[in-house]
Amino acid sequence: MRRLDELRIISRARPADKLHLVELLRRKGAVVAVTGDGTNDGPALNLAHVGLAMGKSGTSVAKEASDIILLDDSFTSIANAAMWGRSLYQNIQRFVVFQLTINVTALLTVLLGPFIGVKLPLTVTQMLWVNLIMDTFAALALAAEPPHPSVMRRPPRDPKQFILTKAMATNVLGVGVTFFASLVVLLLVLRRDGVTPYELTVFFTTFVFMQLWNLFNARALGKSESAFAKMLSNRGFVLVVAVIAIGQVLIVEYGGSLFRTVPLELRDWLIIVGATSAVLWVGEGLRALGRLREASA
């Protein structure tokens, strides 16, 4: 048990040795994967958390005992599968963070809006559009993010770990409360002379564009590189961002009473887009600091 961490190669190993090694590793709390192609590998393949058999050269016994069959008998495929699996898990975490951030912001805004003099900050149809951004569009944008080789340099995660880590929860609460505080200040400024449909449209558009810029931060979650890095490698993300931005413009300009919106002046559009983009630039600054720390380490 003491030598397991230093063990790299065993010569003249028998099938019983492989099985004993898997047993010891499991008792030590390790997640064990075993590759094999022969009949004698069956017990070790079956006992491992993940058994990988060779599809071309493997025996039927090895294939039956395994969880995964490599069709090309290539160990590179194992590394690629691990990289895709880790990246997919990370993509799910990015989606969860983005969705919960919108939930926190929207929930606090709708609940506390009446207490600051605005009975209905966001209407039902506006919330439906926000939910469309939050669920469908965000899933399309973030789930298709291609794998990044850096995930292979990280230690394996605890299989019992909850998908929402402490750092993610801190991010959700910190960003969500910051967004809410900014929107409350905006509502207080808008209601000084009475809240008009034009001012509520400004509020609604500000809310959506804050989440749009935060989508870029969600894409870069867990990475220190810029949110714009390899942007064209995920064309689905670019398309979703374009659809959200164009959709918001169309809703504001032509939504009318259905969405409780009125057309905005070009000056206000530029102010909203420019002011809310601070969400992205703050994130880019933090990621730049992270790159500097990595370079100096």
Side-chain angles (χ1 to χ4, degrees):
M1 289 291 283
R2 289 195 302 269
R3 286 189 151 189
L4 282 177
D5 292 335
E6 301 174 0
L7 193 60
R8 294 295 178 268
I9 299 172
I10 302 178
S11 63
R12 301 182 181 275
R14 298 169 297 179
D17 296 328
K18 298 179 184 179
L19 183 61
H20 186 51
L21 181 60
V22 174
E23 289 174 344
L24 291 176
L25 286 168
R26 290 194 61 144
R27 279 166 51 189
K28 197 175 176 67
V31 178
V32 188
V34 173
T35 62
D37 56 4
T39 301
N40 291 334
D41 295 322
L45 288 168
N46 188 54
L47 183 61
H49 291 97
V50 182
L52 300 110
M54 302 302 167
K56 293 181 180 179
S57 60
T59 63
S60 58
V61 173
K63 294 177 184 177
E64 285 292 330
S66 297
D67 304 290
I68 299 172
I69 299 175
L70 299 176
L71 298 180
D72 57 2
D73 286 13
S74 172
F75 283 97
T76 305
S77 299
I78 300 174
N80 288 335
M83 183 171 67
W84 275 91
R86 288 185 174 194
S87 297
L88 180 59
Y89 186 83
Q90 211 171 51
N91 287 346
I92 296 172
Q93 288 182 313
R94 293 182 179 117
F95 172 72
V96 168
V97 167
F98 177 75
Q99 188 177 53
L100 290 181
T101 301
I102 295 184
N103 278 336
V104 169
T105 308
L107 181 64
L108 292 175
T109 301
V110 172
L111 283 178
L112 299 181
F115 292 96
I116 58 176
V118 181
K119 186 177 181 181
L120 198 62
L122 296 170
T123 67
V124 174
T125 50
Q126 288 173 351
M127 285 302 299
L128 285 173
W129 168 240
V130 171
N131 275 312
L132 187 62
I133 296 172
M134 181 173 63
D135 294 329
T136 308
F137 289 157
L140 290 172
L142 299 174
E145 189 65 24
H148 195 277
S150 64
V151 298
M152 299 299 284
R153 294 193 294 269
R154 298 179 181 179
R157 63 178 176 84
D158 184 349
K160 297 180 182 179
Q161 184 184 49
F162 187 50
I163 190 169
L164 186 65
T165 64
K166 184 178 180 179
M168 291 167 61
T170 302
N171 183 296
V172 168
L173 292 176
V175 175
V177 171
T178 301
F179 283 2
F180 167 69
S182 302
L183 292 169
V184 166
V185 172
L186 178 61
L187 278 177
L188 292 174
V189 171
L190 294 176
R191 67 179 286 273
R192 285 183 304 181
D193 303 321
V195 182
T196 64
Y198 190 94
E199 291 169 332
L200 289 174
T201 302
V202 169
F203 176 82
F204 170 49
T205 305
T206 301
F207 182 95
V208 170
F209 271 91
M210 287 176 76
Q211 310 307 331
L212 177 63
W213 293 121
N214 196 44
L215 186 60
F216 286 84
N217 289 333
R219 178 179 185 261
L221 182 71
K223 298 186 291 185
S224 59
E225 65 180 18
S226 170
F228 296 103
K230 300 179 181 178
M231 181 70 72
L232 296 180
S233 64
N234 187 356
R235 296 182 180 178
F237 182 89
V238 178
L239 179 61
V240 165
V241 169
V243 168
I244 294 174
I246 294 172
Q248 182 64 24
V249 171
L250 293 176
I251 286 174
V252 169
E253 297 298 317
Y254 305 105
S257 58
L258 178 63
F259 284 93
R260 198 190 63 184
T261 58
V262 295
L264 298 179
E265 297 179 3
L266 178 60
R267 182 195 65 176
D268 291 328
W269 274 113
L270 295 176
I271 292 174
I272 291 171
V273 173
T276 55
S277 67
V279 173
L280 173 60
W281 304 130
V282 169
E284 286 291 283
L286 293 175
R287 286 185 286 275
L289 290 175
R291 290 194 296 271
L292 289 175
R293 284 195 296 266
E294 289 178 1
S296 59

